[in-house]
Amino acid sequence: MIKFLDLQAQYQVIKPEIDEALQDVLDNSSYILGPRVTDCENKFAALCDVKHAIGVNTGTSALHLSLLAHDIGPGDEVITVPLTFVATVAAIMYVGAKPVLVDVEPDFYTMDPEKVEQAITSRTKAIMPVHLYGQTADMGAIMALGEKYGIPVIEDACQAHCAEYHGRRAGSIGAVGCFSFYPGKNLGAYGEGGMVVTNDDRIADKVKMLRDWGQRDKGVHECLGYNYRLEGFQGAVVGVKAKYIEQWSEGRRSRAALYADCLSGHGVAVPKVRSGCEHVYHVYAVLVDQREKVQEALASDGVQTGVHYKLPVHLQPGYSQLGYGKGDLPIAEKVASQTLSLPMYPELKDEEVEVVSERLALALKAL
Ligand SMILES: *Cc1c(COP(=O)(O)O)cnc(C)c1O
């Protein structure tokens, strides 16, 4: 049986450091924020090459607070993509703004800048690209649009810890970057966690205040705030893992290279890497025909796979109020119907990549 994800394999490697860090939180009773969270914020800021990193309780909260810090609310529009985890779109709805969805590029499955320009109106208050599967969107073109129209870019980098766009780290290019430390993410906590990164002092100050009940000074609530603080245990885990993330990203890239090798000539669309970019393969997604059938065949052959995402957000039953229908965003819909995520983690063995590839090729041949 080859697992889709194996969190134990990684824990076993770093167990002594993790256990010690967690014990330290217990010894200090610093369960919420505290020194381990500050340490993890400093390390993450350095990794992203930004001035400020503010730990929050989830990636969703990072998105929510980034929108609030830009005073985005009812009557405003935010441009994003349908091929993402629902949280991207939900965060826009949480602040009462209207998500305006644009289609993705056929090669990289990220926001198509040409579609963005067509969607800009006088009400557009932010552009929110998603660095899907661990690869950055076309940030050069998106930032150029943001500058041309005076609209801030909020990066959903929840899948792209340490990914790069022309030498710049994901999350550090726009006005603000949002990360998730959900356990299955490339840099995962052992519970929920997230981070907002920015070079803007004013935005950093606002996010800090908003995550902690609107307090700058304890006991003085300057605005309507939230209980979105990062826990000490999660800060401790992320702080330990920060040291390994670059090496783990390398591991993922070498797994991806081996997959591409093994799968060539078998009718599988393997991920394309945008020129000048460093992909971090949060998800190794291939496109296949008859995805459900292929997934079942692999499962019965002992290979676990995933799907990211079965339905684009605009076709999710709970998001019908957005007013989109089938056929409105055809590239996202096509990718969603064909995408299949293969096992991908740095600890995955060469033989396992070979076995998965072999069985996928067989399943496709048998269609
Ligand atoms: C994981 C994820 C989120 C949400 O992060 P949580 O920590 O689970 O709240 C948002 N956007 C994208 C693209 C994600 O992959």
Side-chain angles (χ1 to χ4, degrees):
M1 163 78 120
I2 299 176
K3 289 189 196 158
F4 178 63
L5 182 64
D6 186 358
L7 296 177
Q8 266 308 310
Q10 188 186 72
Y11 172 57
Q12 289 312 320
V13 176
I14 55 176
K15 186 176 188 314
E17 286 171 275
I18 291 282
D19 292 1
E20 190 208 323
L22 293 177
Q23 187 62 52
D24 180 54
V25 174
L26 286 168
D27 293 340
N28 291 304
S29 307
S30 48
Y31 297 121
I32 294 169
L33 300 178
R36 287 282 177 170
V37 168
T38 304
D39 171 66
C40 131
E41 290 172 333
N42 293 337
K43 285 176 176 158
F44 200 69
L47 276 175
C48 293
D49 196 22
V50 293
K51 208 164 149 192
H52 306 281
I54 302 113
V56 293
N57 62 337
T58 65
T60 307
S61 299
L63 293 164
H64 186 189
L65 295 189
S66 296
L67 290 161
L68 287 173
H70 283 91
D71 299 313
I72 293 166
D76 298 334
E77 295 175 357
V78 177
I79 298 173
T80 191
V81 286
L83 193 66
T84 180
F85 184 59
V86 288
T88 316
V89 178
I92 298 167
M93 295 163 79
Y94 291 166
V95 301
K98 180 183 168 199
V100 173
L101 304 179
V102 298
D103 214 345
V104 296
E105 296 179 298
D107 281 347
F108 309 108
Y109 323 141
T110 52
M111 177 177 267
D112 184 338
E114 273 179 37
K115 305 275 165 55
V116 174
E117 185 149 31
Q118 294 160 12
I120 291 173
T121 72
S122 58
R123 293 177 297 280
T124 307
K125 291 290 147 57
I127 303 170
M128 200 186 266
V130 177
H131 304 320
L132 192 75
Y133 301 154
Q135 171 155 253
T136 58
D138 185 357
M139 288 306 288
I142 293 166
M143 290 304 294
L145 286 174
E147 275 149 36
K148 180 172 166 190
Y149 294 94
I151 303 168
V153 174
I154 297 174
E155 295 177 65
D156 184 339
C158 286
Q159 302 187 0
H161 314 74
C162 297
E164 283 184 8
Y165 179 89
H166 293 272
R168 296 175 71 187
R169 288 272 152 118
S172 73
I173 306 163
V176 52
C178 303
F179 290 87
S180 165
F181 301 134
Y182 178 80
K185 298 286 158 83
N186 288 19
L187 183 50
Y190 289 163
E192 307 273 7
M195 193 79 85
V196 175
V197 304
T198 184
N199 285 310
D200 185 323
D201 298 342
R202 199 180 51 89
I203 295 289
D205 186 56
K206 267 183 154 172
V207 169
K208 244 184 214 166
M209 205 160 79
L210 286 166
R211 79 167 169 183
D212 189 18
W213 288 116
Q215 300 174 93
R216 197 179 272 118
D217 304 324
K218 201 168 168 58
V220 182
H221 301 268
E222 293 181 38
C223 63
L224 178 67
Y226 298 81
N227 181 358
Y228 279 179
R229 297 166 302 215
L230 183 61
E231 293 188 353
F233 284 132
Q234 309 314 334
V237 171
V238 173
V240 168
K241 287 190 173 190
K243 199 164 80 190
Y244 295 95
I245 184 66
E246 314 246 22
Q247 155 193 341
W248 288 335
S249 299
E250 272 309 320
R252 286 173 182 271
R253 279 191 285 270
S254 79
R255 308 300 74 215
L258 186 55
Y259 265 131
D261 231 32
C262 295
L263 290 170
S264 85
H266 291 290
V268 182
V270 299
K272 292 192 179 112
V273 181
R274 191 190 298 284
S275 107
C277 290
E278 287 279 11
H279 202 314
V280 293
Y281 297 99
H282 169 55
V283 167
Y284 190 84
V286 297
L287 300 193
V288 295
D289 289 330
Q290 302 187 57
R291 193 249 326 279
E292 264 69 41
K293 233 172 139 181
V294 173
Q295 192 175 24
E296 263 172 45
L298 285 172
S300 64
D301 255 354
V303 175
Q304 281 184 347
T305 55
V307 173
H308 303 87
Y309 296 92
K310 190 158 114 177
L311 288 174
V313 179
H314 70 289
L315 300 183
Q316 294 288 355
Y319 291 74
S320 58
Q321 58 181 293
L322 297 179
Y324 296 89
K326 224 177 177 138
D328 286 346
L329 299 155
I331 300 168
E333 290 169 30
K334 178 178 179 283
V335 176
S337 72
Q338 298 191 321
T339 188
L340 179 70
S341 310
L342 305 182
M344 168 55 79
Y345 36 96
E347 299 81 13
L348 192 68
K349 298 186 182 71
D350 281 4
E351 307 85 77
E352 292 175 317
V353 172
E354 285 158 13
V355 168
V356 173
S357 305
E358 221 172 80
R359 294 188 184 164
L360 175 57
L362 281 175
L364 287 168
K365 226 169 131 188
L367 284 180

